[in-house]
Amino acid sequence: MTKLIIDDNEVEVPDTYTLLQACEVAGAEVPRFCFHERLSIAGNCRMCLVEVKGGPPKPQASCALGVRDLRPGPNGEPPVVSTKSPMVKKAREGVMEFLLINHPLDCPICDQGGECDLQDQAMAYGIDKNRYAENKRAVEDKYIGPLVRTKMTRCIHCTRCVRFTAEVAGISELGLIGRGEDAEITTYLENAMTSELQGNVIDLCPVGALTSRPYQDTARPWELGKTETIDVMDAVGSNIRVDTRSREVMRIMPVINEAVNEEWISDKTRFVFDGLKTQRLDQPYIRKSGKLQPATWTEALAAVASKVKAAKANKVGAIAGDLASVEDIYALKKLMEQIGSPNMDCRPEGSALDPAKGRASYIFNTTIDGIEDADAIMLIGTNPRKEAPILNARIRKRYTQGDLLVGVVGEQMDLTYEYTALGEGPESLKQFANYGKIKKKNPMFIIGQGALNRSDSASVLAMVASAAESMGAVRDDWNGFNILHTGAAQVGGLDLGFVPAKGGKATGDMLGSMDVLFLLGADELDMSKVKGTVVYIGSHGDAGAHRADVILPAATYTEKSGTWVNTEGRVQMGNRANFAPGDAKEEWAILRALSAHMGDALPFDSLSQLRSQLYSEFPHFAALDEVATGDIGDVKALAKGKSGKVLKSGFASPIKDFYLTNPIARASKVMAECSQLASGTVRQAAE
């Protein structure tokens, strides 16, 4: 620790801190443009200048000066730093004057207006006139894809975007070319960026050079209502802020959560908002004479009730989709129990995950934050870059720190970091498991759905658990057995026990053998196999709605308060940001009304009553933002299970198109454009 005197306040900070960080500890506000806590130090903008007594007779860039580099006083006194002296004020005003020489000052038409760092700092350090009479330079706008809009004349060359793409996203597609007045930031040959995290450069840009193309010219920040909630585009559970105007979602932005998404979100999370208002189901439908016809709620619920009453209990089934909240799945489970049906499932077809085997057998036990403590990672049947880009960025963050081995059993892909390909399928995994221990302290296994959604998934799971135990990945102080889910609802459903009861059928067996099948937003199924009467409870006119005989319109994740459990088992609650269109209602309310039409209403009349009952039955759901740790004995018991025959076919990730994984994304025009661009079906062209 090092003592400093900053603005007459004595503070003690670690000697690894920069002077800027030390000033923040002392409560001094230091302006900056290029510095960012999660990126390397560039020292480009010089806005963070401070005065160091006893140092050189000129202002110092506090972001690039380490605390350990400061000299003490002549008698050993702590170094003295000033952030408010006349020298500092004059220096910052000079820097601001230079920054504004070429800046176009088009705040009235800039999307960054109202939340612009340059605008804010100009209020503090700007002057009311310019001493430069030369013409401002102009820079041609660059095409970098359908998500990020460029106005490069505004760029101040802080290089935050360049450092983010190279260090966090792991792509070298943005760079600074030229020198002096001719310097400009661009992509290689002006092609679109290919990272699933590229939208984060919008938040990083301190001026209006990089803005959101889909959000362009639609709203001002002071017009928007801001609601913090949870993302459901994957199983990471990123914390987000949904900005709305009236009933419409205008944009989605990240919220800092160090344990989950830090301050990043994926492009699908950020830009899917236009899919929330297109292809929506806003009234009930009943299929008559082969065509879906509009109906009232009373007619639709009565039709479903009559079908359920006419069917045998063991011929009624329910499948929960990837986006359903815990409350919705809980209400559906109670309805199925009331009907007397054991047929319910929240897992993809062929999955061997089972809550009866313990919570540690189906969650990401190490936690997302725990990835940074690993020194060896084995990826089995997963492509984390497509399935969970934020988690993949955390692996890359650990990789850039050095001393990390990454192995892959499954298809080869670009993960933005180096890895060793160990094979494609179970045979390669078996050979690796027979190898024995590895000389690493904290090895980690990440098993994806590509290894679990197969007929041999139970054997694969036991094989991985056995390998994890034998290699020291499962200990009292470290549980390196991790399941990476792809659906936001899967862990919550497993926690609730929404799996076949005794004598019940799983997802694959229900498709062709039910007289009545409830689909709770379950669209990722082979609808050609589905037989009987299909009751679809969902928000969009996707695959499930096209196959349905009765459609009950529901709310999306931004239109309701709900609980979701992410892949690591962290319980998080989302808040309602806007209201569902037309006659659409929350799923739990639909199921409650349906139970009343069936003559035996579920024992709750409000969301608070439902949650009270839920918490009494499953107490861990009440512990928000906490992870109920799994029992390490569950993994050891799984390892002792017999490994049967395995298939020779290789593991393949179920996510083939990152941008079109759920009904909301498939309804999004922006996501469709990104998908076409990624697949090469459209030519990259400048505006």
Side-chain angles (χ1 to χ4, degrees):
M1 302 292 284
T2 301
K3 287 185 178 181
L4 298 173
I5 297 176
I6 301 176
D7 293 339
D8 299 327
N9 296 319
E10 185 174 305
V11 294
E12 191 171 4
V13 297
D15 61 359
T16 56
Y17 271 27
T18 63
L19 188 51
L20 187 150
Q21 292 171 310
C23 290
E24 289 184 336
V25 171
E29 184 177 344
V30 179
R32 82 292 300 269
F33 292 118
C34 69
F35 177 79
H36 193 276
E37 290 80 359
R38 303 186 197 280
L39 303 176
S40 61
I41 295 172
N44 292 339
C45 72
R46 320 307 285 183
M47 195 65 201
C48 63
L49 295 173
V50 297
E51 181 180 0
V52 180
K53 301 291 178 64
K58 62 180 181 178
Q60 300 291 306
S62 60
C63 71
L65 184 63
V67 167
R68 65 179 61 173
D69 298 325
L70 299 180
R71 293 182 299 174
N75 299 315
E77 301 95 334
V80 177
V81 178
S82 176
T83 67
K84 301 176 182 178
S85 67
M87 175 197 288
V88 172
K89 186 175 186 297
K90 183 178 180 181
R92 290 177 182 173
E93 288 174 349
V95 170
M96 178 60 66
E97 191 173 359
F98 271 113
L99 290 175
L100 296 180
I101 289 173
N102 286 314
H103 196 79
L105 300 180
D106 54 358
C107 302
I109 62 167
C110 178
D111 272 347
Q112 198 87 343
E115 47 190 11
C116 173
D117 292 350
L118 184 63
Q119 207 174 46
D120 295 341
Q121 297 305 329
M123 291 295 293
Y125 300 103
I127 57 176
D128 60 354
K129 56 186 176 180
N130 193 341
R131 291 180 288 171
Y132 294 86
E134 292 81 2
N135 291 329
K136 292 178 180 285
R137 75 164 190 167
V139 181
E140 183 180 351
D141 295 338
K142 309 299 186 298
Y143 174 79
I144 60 176
L147 302 179
V148 182
R149 178 197 185 204
T150 63
K151 284 291 180 182
M152 302 314 293
T153 301
R154 301 172 185 159
C155 180
I156 62 171
H157 301 160
C158 69
T159 68
R160 278 188 181 183
C161 56
V162 176
R163 285 175 283 149
F164 171 82
T165 54
E167 298 165 12
V168 179
I171 58 169
S172 298
E173 294 178 350
L174 272 184
L176 182 70
I177 63 172
R179 299 183 68 184
E181 188 179 63
D182 297 324
E184 54 185 274
I185 288 174
T186 182
T187 59
Y188 179 69
L189 296 181
E190 293 195 25
N191 280 350
M193 289 195 290
T194 58
S195 172
E196 297 78 16
L197 300 171
Q198 61 181 279
N200 290 288
V201 301
I202 297 168
D203 300 329
L204 289 172
C205 185
V207 295
L210 302 176
T211 55
S212 171
R213 191 180 293 275
Y215 176 69
Q216 177 180 337
D217 303 329
T218 59
R220 287 298 195 182
W222 54 83
E223 302 175 329
L224 304 176
K226 301 171 176 63
T227 307
E228 293 189 5
T229 185
I230 304 301
D231 172 54
V232 298
M233 292 297 109
D234 54 33
V236 172
S238 299
N239 288 216
I240 58 174
R241 192 189 82 197
V242 177
D243 290 359
T244 56
R245 185 173 61 190
S246 186
R247 298 174 68 100
E248 185 178 353
V249 175
M250 304 304 295
R251 64 177 179 178
I252 296 174
M253 301 181 70
V255 170
I256 296 176
N257 187 325
E258 298 292 348
V260 182
N261 59 302
E262 297 183 304
E263 62 183 270
W264 319 123
I265 55 174
S266 73
D267 293 340
K268 184 164 55 179
T269 298
R270 183 185 298 271
F271 296 108
V272 79
F273 59 86
D274 68 315
L276 293 167
K277 57 187 176 185
T278 55
Q279 298 186 13
R280 288 302 302 270
L281 300 172
D282 58 0
Q283 66 181 104
Y285 288 86
I286 300 176
R287 190 176 296 277
K288 298 177 181 177
S289 302
K291 292 186 177 181
L292 288 168
Q293 304 289 341
T296 65
W297 271 107
T298 301
E299 291 171 344
L301 293 175
V304 175
S306 64
K307 289 289 185 181
V308 173
K309 290 178 181 178
K312 293 182 179 179
N314 62 356
K315 285 293 185 177
V316 179
I319 301 175
D322 291 343
L323 308 183
S325 70
V326 168
E327 290 85 351
D328 301 332
I329 300 175
Y330 180 74
L332 183 56
K333 180 184 180 185
K334 289 302 176 184
L335 180 66
M336 297 304 292
E337 291 175 348
Q338 186 173 287
I339 294 171
S341 172
N343 307 313
M344 62 186 91
D345 208 349
C346 63
R347 305 166 298 179
E349 189 173 349
S351 177
L353 300 178
D354 189 347
K357 297 177 182 177
R359 198 167 196 252
S361 69
Y362 61 82
I363 66 172
F364 202 95
N365 291 286
T366 312
T367 72
I368 297 171
D369 191 33
I371 290 174
E372 299 187 27
D373 296 323
D375 48 15
I377 298 177
M378 172 66 74
L379 302 174
I380 302 167
T382 181
N383 181 350
R385 182 174 176 181
K386 302 293 184 184
E387 297 172 21
I390 297 300
L391 186 141
N392 192 65
R394 188 77 74 136
I395 297 177
R396 173 173 169 77
K397 178 182 179 181
R398 174 63 187 88
Y399 173 80
T400 58
Q401 295 169 358
D403 191 29
L404 176 70
L405 293 177
V406 181
V408 172
V409 176
E411 56 188 345
Q412 297 190 35
M413 54 263 170
D414 179 8
L415 293 177
T416 72
Y417 43 83
E418 294 182 0
Y419 62 86
T420 301
L422 300 175
E424 296 185 352
E427 292 299 327
S428 302
L429 179 60
K430 184 180 290 186
Q431 292 177 9
F432 176 79
N434 292 335
Y435 178 76
K437 288 194 174 184
I438 57 176
K439 296 180 180 179
K440 290 292 181 179
K441 181 181 179 182
N442 293 329
M444 174 189 296
F445 288 76
I446 300 178
I447 308 101
Q449 300 303 304
L452 297 175
N453 302 343
R454 301 158 45 111
S455 58
D456 62 347
S457 60
S459 299
V460 171
L461 202 60
M463 189 187 305
V464 176
S466 177
E469 185 178 22
S470 65
M471 294 183 185
V474 180
R475 313 186 304 265
D476 291 338
D477 61 334
W478 177 260
N479 189 347
F481 181 84
N482 302 302
I483 304 296
L484 178 57
H485 293 270
T486 55
Q490 289 172 6
V491 175
L494 291 169
D495 281 351
L496 289 170
F498 196 81
V499 293
K502 186 176 181 181
K505 294 184 177 181
T507 298
D509 299 325
M510 276 192 272
L511 296 182
S513 60
M514 296 290 108
D515 290 341
V516 180
L517 181 62
F518 288 93
L519 299 181
L520 187 65
D523 292 271
E524 317 308 318
L525 303 170
D526 185 353
M527 296 300 171
S528 64
K529 297 180 181 179
V530 179
K531 308 297 181 184
T533 300
V534 175
V535 180
Y536 180 75
I537 306 173
S539 60
H540 284 71
D542 205 71
H546 284 285
R547 173 58 187 84
D549 296 290
V550 180
I551 294 176
L552 305 178
T556 63
Y557 69 105
T558 65
E559 298 162 356
K560 61 186 177 183
S561 175
T563 304
W564 284 271
V565 186
N566 74 350
T567 192
E568 62 184 350
R570 185 181 303 275
V571 180
Q572 300 185 106
M573 184 175 292
N575 299 306
R576 172 188 283 162
N578 62 328
F579 291 90
D583 292 332
K585 303 182 184 301
E586 298 177 35
E587 288 93 327
W588 71 264
I590 295 172
L591 294 165
R592 166 62 178 78
L594 176 59
S595 67
H597 273 75
M598 293 170 57
D600 188 7
L602 292 172
F604 43 80
D605 297 320
S606 65
L607 184 59
S608 59
Q609 290 180 6
L610 185 155
R611 284 177 174 160
S612 178
Q613 187 172 327
L614 171 68
Y615 296 159
S616 64
E617 194 171 343
F618 301 95
H620 75 280
F621 284 120
L624 297 180
D625 203 33
E626 293 184 14
V627 179
T629 308
D631 186 354
I632 199 170
D634 297 336
V635 182
K636 293 182 177 180
L638 198 63
K640 294 178 182 177
K642 294 183 179 179
S643 298
K645 291 185 178 180
V646 293
L647 302 176
K648 292 185 179 180
S649 58
F651 300 132
S653 171
I655 305 298
K656 301 304 179 185
D657 191 333
F658 165 73
Y659 297 102
L660 304 177
T661 56
N662 59 64
I664 301 175
R666 287 189 287 270
S668 167
K669 182 180 178 181
V670 175
M671 292 297 100
E673 187 176 353
C674 290
S675 174
Q676 292 175 339
L677 197 61
S679 63
T681 56
V682 295
R683 185 174 62 89
Q684 297 181 1
E687 292 178 295

